[in-house]
Amino acid sequence: MALLSVIAIDGCKNNKTKMQKELLTFIKKFDSVVQPLSKDASLAYWNASISGKDDDWAKAEELNIQLTKVFSNKEDFAVLNRIKEADAITDELLKRQLDVMYNAYLGNQVDTTLLNSIIKMQTEIEKKYSNFRADVDGKKLSDNEVEEVLKTSTSSAVLQSAWEGHKAIGPVVAQDIINLVKKRNEIAKQLGFNTYHEMSLKLSEQDPDEISKLFDELDNLTRDAFAGLKGEIDAFLSKRNNVKTEELMPWHYQNRFFQEAPAIYSVDLDKYYKDQNIETLTTDYYTSIGLDIKDMIANSDLYEKPGKNQHAYCIDIDNEGDVRVLCNIKPNYNWMNTMLHEFGHANYDKYIDMQLPYSLRNPAHTFTTEAIAMFFGRMASNAQFLVDMKLTDTADARIVSAEGFKVLRLEQLTFSRWAQVMYRFEKALYADPDQDLNKLWWELVEKYQMIKRPADRNQPDWASKIHIATSPCYYHNYLLGELLASQFNNYITVNVLKSDNFGQCYYGKPEVGQYFTEKVFKPGARYSWNELIEKATGEKLTAKYYAGQFVN
Ligand SMILES: [Zn+2]
């Protein structure tokens, strides 16, 4: 008996050593292939998005295909799978690398024909979206132009035709999307998941039940406050458009989806930024909290150029400190917010511990880096920020303080109710793509956004939201980012600064930069996201601080 157990332990030890050795060999090979390849791919993408040239785009695409090939390799995955099943890795960092690589490979382990047909279907749908122009009273309008009409017109008839013109994309793509959803579900089933929604969440280490619980919690916390604000919105819009509140329709809400707050307050934040150097303000702000961004600013591309990508993003080129930001700065509120946002991402990437193994030199989750970006982006409407950055005086800031906060609260609550619709719709869509989706969509819109379905409307209005087709099962991460931004704000105020002023901008407080560096940035992906959040704030992710900040 004794002898047997000694043999068993020995066998166990041998297996452990063998597995560990095998994993180390795998990692060495993985790093030597993936690190240079993904650096090349990032550089190519960066160059293409600045030049806009076909040749540059072709190069970026080619490198991307090569990278995807690495992760769809069946033999490599078999090695990872065997090591994982043996469950013999005990070293914390090795185990974590194994999990991260395993998840990255798993999503690509389906037959190539299926994968390719999905890529093709998605590209076709994207083309239909790009080529679509809303037909509004004989004129063809782009999305931006439709948004402009919805924001500026006060004629119900004009608003209705713009809104309906935009929704006409729905019937063009709806059946394609349903087919795509079914294909995506096939992938999920091949890999042992019930639906593609479940698969997407689980592969990014999110437990669908846990995420649903957070959304329920947030729904309960925000419902009454939103209903109150919705009353304010309706009163304002009814007067502005000269219609009775009970006659307000979806096209009166100044946005195609009512995902952004209508402009019901009079505060004008642009005026504080119109004569300012946004780049300098960003550098000064981050320097004052102890985060040096000068090196990254120097490598970035911050102003408009012909052919250049018109939006903004941050990219970690090599996971070794070469972090760059693309922007198209104009001196206004939006770009101040965006610069603070993107350099929030950039700091996260820059200050990740470079001693970590390569595959862990990433944020814990896409939404944890989103949270940092949102945390700093919010400063652009913060009254104390305007004072500390010498953009206004204290007396004026008192006025901004009340109004600026009201704007932020309205933006947050409006977005949070919209995100509820998106999360619940996608979950139900993948669970049963054959159900009456038009009905489901409007039931969710009425329940969460509290706006009225136009009488007898039975159109695939859900299909007019491009994210459902092209960025599936991802939208909820934006809301999780906002929740975490509020959780950080609370933790830092109470525990780092020992204060009860929750509206600070943290200018001149290097302990804030130090907190983020030590507790959030440095660990990279060495912990799963909720473990990281618990270590950094003493609690798992919760909706209560978001509610505390924006409800009341
Ligand atoms: Zn972001």
Side-chain angles (χ1 to χ4, degrees):
M1 200 61 197
L3 188 66
L4 247 176
S5 74
V6 168
I7 293 169
I9 290 168
D10 261 15
C12 212
K13 233 192 229 157
N14 280 342
N15 193 35
K16 196 182 141 186
T17 323
K18 193 173 149 254
M19 284 298 155
Q20 186 152 328
K21 235 172 125 185
E22 216 175 322
L23 180 57
L24 284 168
T25 312
F26 186 93
I27 291 170
K28 208 168 162 197
K29 190 179 138 212
F30 176 88
D31 289 359
S32 74
V33 174
V34 174
Q35 192 166 10
L37 188 55
S38 83
K39 180 178 174 178
D40 289 349
S42 298
L43 268 177
Y45 179 79
W46 171 259
N47 291 333
S49 64
I50 292 170
S51 80
K53 286 186 186 140
D54 285 346
D55 286 359
D56 289 341
W57 278 119
K59 196 174 165 198
E61 195 185 307
E62 169 54 30
L63 286 161
N64 229 332
I65 291 170
Q66 282 185 41
L67 205 52
T68 311
K69 255 191 203 147
V70 173
F71 289 99
S72 52
N73 185 298
K74 302 259 181 294
E75 291 79 43
D76 286 350
F77 181 68
V79 174
L80 285 176
N81 201 23
R82 191 154 37 79
I83 301 174
K84 199 169 161 74
E85 300 228 303
D87 196 20
I89 304 294
T90 47
D91 177 82
E92 181 219 346
L93 273 184
L94 282 177
K95 210 169 157 51
R96 183 68 190 144
Q97 287 175 83
L98 174 62
D99 287 346
V100 167
M101 289 186 298
Y102 179 86
N103 282 343
Y105 274 82
L106 179 57
N108 291 294
Q109 299 301 310
V110 282
D111 56 61
T112 335
T113 0
L114 187 55
L115 214 53
N116 287 343
S117 77
I118 283 182
I119 294 171
K120 232 177 119 189
M121 287 166 90
Q122 190 167 318
T123 314
E124 287 307 309
I125 296 175
E126 274 198 77
K127 269 191 212 154
K128 288 188 181 177
Y129 279 105
S130 330
N131 292 331
F132 177 81
R133 293 292 176 274
D135 188 340
V136 182
D137 302 325
K139 267 189 272 173
K140 299 279 184 195
L141 302 189
S142 69
D143 286 353
N144 280 335
E145 288 164 332
V146 168
E147 287 289 330
E148 192 57 28
V149 173
L150 293 176
K151 275 196 179 75
T152 52
S153 172
T154 53
S155 149
S156 293
V158 171
L159 292 170
Q160 182 173 357
S161 51
W163 186 87
E164 283 175 351
H166 160 69
K167 294 297 173 206
I169 179 68
V172 178
V173 289
Q175 193 53 50
D176 296 348
I177 298 177
I178 294 171
N179 296 340
L180 177 59
V181 163
K182 289 179 178 173
K183 282 269 177 218
R184 285 176 180 156
N185 273 343
E186 274 181 48
I187 286 197
K189 294 216 167 87
Q190 275 194 12
L191 297 174
F193 298 95
N194 292 309
T195 68
Y196 185 81
H197 188 265
E198 182 196 284
M199 172 184 125
S200 305
L201 268 66
K202 285 193 170 162
L203 286 187
S204 78
E205 304 186 310
Q206 292 177 337
D207 171 2
D209 292 338
E210 208 177 327
I211 303 300
S212 292
K213 243 172 50 202
L214 271 169
F215 270 73
D216 288 343
E217 185 191 356
L218 191 66
D219 172 32
N220 288 327
L221 288 167
T222 55
R223 193 181 306 117
D224 294 346
F226 179 72
L229 280 177
K230 176 71 176 24
E232 269 187 61
I233 294 175
D234 284 357
F236 177 90
L237 293 175
S238 135
K239 212 167 139 201
R240 174 183 160 88
N241 297 295
N242 199 21
V243 292
K244 292 196 194 98
T245 47
E246 61 270 25
E247 285 165 9
L248 284 169
M249 298 312 285
W251 43 86
H252 288 118
Y253 290 84
Q254 300 191 353
N255 180 276
R256 287 169 295 157
F257 304 98
F258 188 31
Q259 70 179 64
E260 281 166 23
I264 68 167
Y265 303 121
S266 59
V267 60
D268 169 22
L269 289 162
D270 283 341
K271 74 174 182 214
Y272 299 104
Y273 297 108
K274 74 177 191 322
D275 299 318
Q276 297 297 329
N277 183 329
I278 302 287
E279 179 186 329
T280 313
L281 288 174
T282 308
T283 309
D284 291 351
Y285 173 75
Y286 277 114
T287 305
S288 89
I289 61 168
L291 297 172
D292 180 13
I293 63 168
K294 285 182 214 85
D295 53 338
M296 298 187 287
I297 286 267
N299 286 333
S300 292
D301 200 289
L302 300 175
Y303 300 94
E304 289 180 305
K305 281 176 188 166
K308 181 178 158 182
N309 174 320
Q310 297 181 66
H311 304 105
Y313 70 84
C314 168
I315 189 166
D316 187 345
I317 299 282
D318 57 0
N319 299 81
E320 288 189 316
D322 183 355
V323 181
R324 307 177 187 186
V325 166
L326 180 144
C327 272
N328 292 273
I329 297 178
K330 294 271 177 203
N332 60 33
Y333 161 69
N334 239 326
W335 280 107
M336 185 75 251
N337 183 316
T338 304
M339 277 289 282
L340 291 168
H341 180 109
E342 296 307 335
F343 277 93
H345 285 304
N347 278 309
Y348 201 143
D349 291 335
K350 173 180 169 175
Y351 289 101
I352 286 173
D353 184 358
M354 294 302 152
Q355 305 305 314
L356 279 171
Y358 170 72
S359 61
L360 302 183
R361 268 182 251 150
N362 285 301
H365 197 281
T366 47
F367 91 79
T368 60
T369 177
E370 216 49 69
I372 295 296
M374 288 161 165
F375 177 95
F376 288 113
R378 286 177 187 176
M379 296 308 163
S381 62
N382 179 298
Q384 192 58 45
F385 182 86
L386 297 178
V387 175
D388 289 349
M389 303 311 290
K390 305 198 167 44
L391 306 171
T392 188
D393 55 35
T394 323
D396 178 61
R398 242 171 253 134
I399 305 165
V400 184
S401 180
E403 288 278 289
F405 176 72
K406 271 160 84 180
V407 171
L408 184 59
R409 183 180 60 178
L410 191 70
E411 280 173 2
Q412 288 294 335
L413 289 182
T414 302
F415 180 74
S416 100
R417 301 303 291 185
W418 159 247
Q420 293 276 353
V421 172
M422 285 292 283
Y423 177 70
R424 291 169 200 278
F425 181 79
E426 285 196 285
K427 191 164 188 246
L429 167 69
Y430 285 93
D432 177 12
D434 289 319
Q435 65 183 301
D436 187 343
L437 296 168
N438 303 356
K439 183 163 156 262
L440 169 71
W441 177 256
W442 277 105
E443 279 169 5
L444 292 169
V445 169
E446 287 187 320
K447 180 171 177 191
Y448 292 100
Q449 296 185 284
M450 304 180 192
I451 54 178
K452 245 187 256 124
R453 166 187 185 147
D456 306 321
R457 188 160 179 90
N458 181 19
Q459 292 293 324
D461 294 328
W462 53 272
S464 65
K465 186 66 186 166
I466 189 171
H467 294 71
I468 292 174
T470 60
S471 317
C473 314
Y474 182 78
Y475 216 82
H476 61 283
N477 285 311
Y478 297 122
L479 191 59
L480 300 184
E482 297 285 8
L483 302 189
L484 182 55
S486 292
Q487 193 164 334
F488 282 140
N489 189 61
N490 180 83
Y491 184 84
I492 290 171
T493 305
V494 174
N495 297 288
V496 178
L497 301 175
K498 319 257 182 250
S499 160
D500 57 4
N501 171 9
F502 292 94
Q504 299 188 59
C505 78
Y506 307 121
Y507 181 82
K509 302 221 157 62
E511 56 270 49
V512 174
Q514 198 193 343
Y515 163 78
F516 277 133
T517 304
E518 291 299 324
K519 298 289 183 185
V520 182
F521 304 160
K522 256 194 184 167
R526 82 178 290 159
Y527 311 115
S528 64
W529 59 271
N530 229 349
E531 231 182 314
L532 174 93
I533 294 171
E534 195 170 15
K535 281 181 195 291
T537 70
E539 287 173 279
K540 289 201 155 68
L541 181 66
T542 161
K544 71 182 178 212
Y545 298 111
Y546 178 86
Q549 197 171 357
F550 300 118
V551 177
N552 296 317

